[in-house]
Amino acid sequence: MRKGAAAKPATARRAAKKPARKPAGKPAEPAMDLAVGRRIRDLRRSKEMSLEVVAARTDLSIGFISQIERGLSSPSLRVLATLADVLGVGIAALFGATPRDDGAGGIVTREVQRAELKLWRTGISKQLLSPAGSESRLNLFLVHLEPGGNTGDEFYTHDGEEAGLVLQGEMTLTVDTETWTLKQGDSFRFASRRPHRFSNPARDAKAVVLWVNCVTAAG
């Protein structure tokens, strides 16, 4: 008598029927682009500046700026800093967050209140540690650099002065023609009008930097 094939264990049957898991989407990233784009558009309109004027002053195309405003393009930190400069605000104004009325009087920012700007295509995110608002000249950020995160090959400049302290990991900073590798505990300071760029050279570790920006043309 022919013996039937041995039945597969129940767990094996369930595993065989289980459909392949689809990669998780990232809905927050396009939403972030849309929110930043709207904020740039609102600031531009409040300054009564046309797309043509902004394009001429930033050397960016009208079409590219329009795509950013509609959330169709994810701008780099260099592009955002350039746009903020032309709009006469600090980059903190692009976060678009409104402080909660918790009796802090615009002085204290609780951890849960931090506004965040994710430049997800470049591996950089910035948390605003100081109270949000386009009128602020001095702003404090916590910058997270994912492995390989960078501002791009091009240098950029903007209004003001900046300084920082590496809290975790390491960062490569280039100002003008000089480049430094800063590790945990190292700090820096330079005028923002000097061409600069930065990156996280590590392949498997993120960097965290406490970053200060002070602008002179905010508001």
Side-chain angles (χ1 to χ4, degrees):
M1 184 176 177
R2 184 179 179 182
K3 293 183 180 180
K8 293 183 179 180
T11 54
R13 291 198 303 270
R14 286 196 296 267
K17 294 180 180 180
K18 189 175 181 180
R21 182 176 296 177
K22 295 181 179 179
K26 298 182 179 180
E29 293 167 352
M32 176 65 70
D33 291 342
L34 187 60
V36 172
R38 286 175 176 171
R39 183 60 177 161
I40 292 172
R41 180 194 61 196
D42 292 344
L43 283 168
R44 177 179 63 78
R45 290 178 176 176
S46 70
K47 303 286 184 179
E48 298 183 347
M49 298 173 68
S50 66
L51 284 170
E52 290 79 6
V53 168
V54 174
R57 295 182 182 180
T58 59
D59 288 330
L60 300 173
S61 71
I62 294 174
F64 182 46
I65 298 172
S66 177
Q67 287 185 330
I68 292 173
E69 291 190 349
R70 290 180 289 155
L72 301 179
S73 290
S74 181
S76 65
L77 182 58
R78 179 185 66 84
V79 169
L80 287 180
T82 301
L83 287 170
D85 204 24
V86 168
L87 294 172
V89 298
I91 198 169
L94 305 185
F95 283 69
T98 302
R100 298 178 187 174
D101 185 11
D102 61 355
I107 296 176
V108 174
T109 299
R110 306 293 182 185
E111 184 175 359
V112 296
Q113 295 175 301
R114 292 178 188 171
E116 187 172 22
L117 185 62
K118 290 184 178 181
L119 306 172
W120 56 279
R121 290 189 185 278
T122 58
I124 300 175
S125 66
K126 302 183 74 169
Q127 292 182 343
L128 182 60
L129 306 183
S130 48
S134 60
E135 301 300 320
S136 179
R137 296 175 183 270
L138 178 66
N139 287 287
L140 182 64
F141 302 93
L142 197 61
V143 177
H144 295 257
L145 294 167
E146 296 299 325
N150 64 87
T151 56
D153 294 332
E154 294 184 60
F155 289 88
Y156 69 102
T157 64
H158 53 96
D159 177 67
E161 189 174 7
E162 52 200 284
L165 169 67
V166 180
L167 301 178
Q168 177 184 323
E170 63 180 279
M171 179 185 76
T172 297
L173 173 67
T174 300
V175 180
D176 292 324
T177 59
E178 294 188 77
T179 299
W180 301 268
T181 295
L182 293 88
K183 299 182 181 294
Q184 182 176 331
D186 294 338
S187 55
F188 58 89
R189 173 175 173 259
F190 60 91
S192 303
R193 286 296 182 196
R194 299 177 67 180
H196 58 281
R197 64 188 180 194
F198 59 89
S199 65
N200 176 5
R203 296 183 178 180
D204 57 0
K206 68 185 280 186
V208 181
V209 184
L210 184 65
W211 208 297
V212 181
N213 281 103
C214 182
V215 297
T216 58

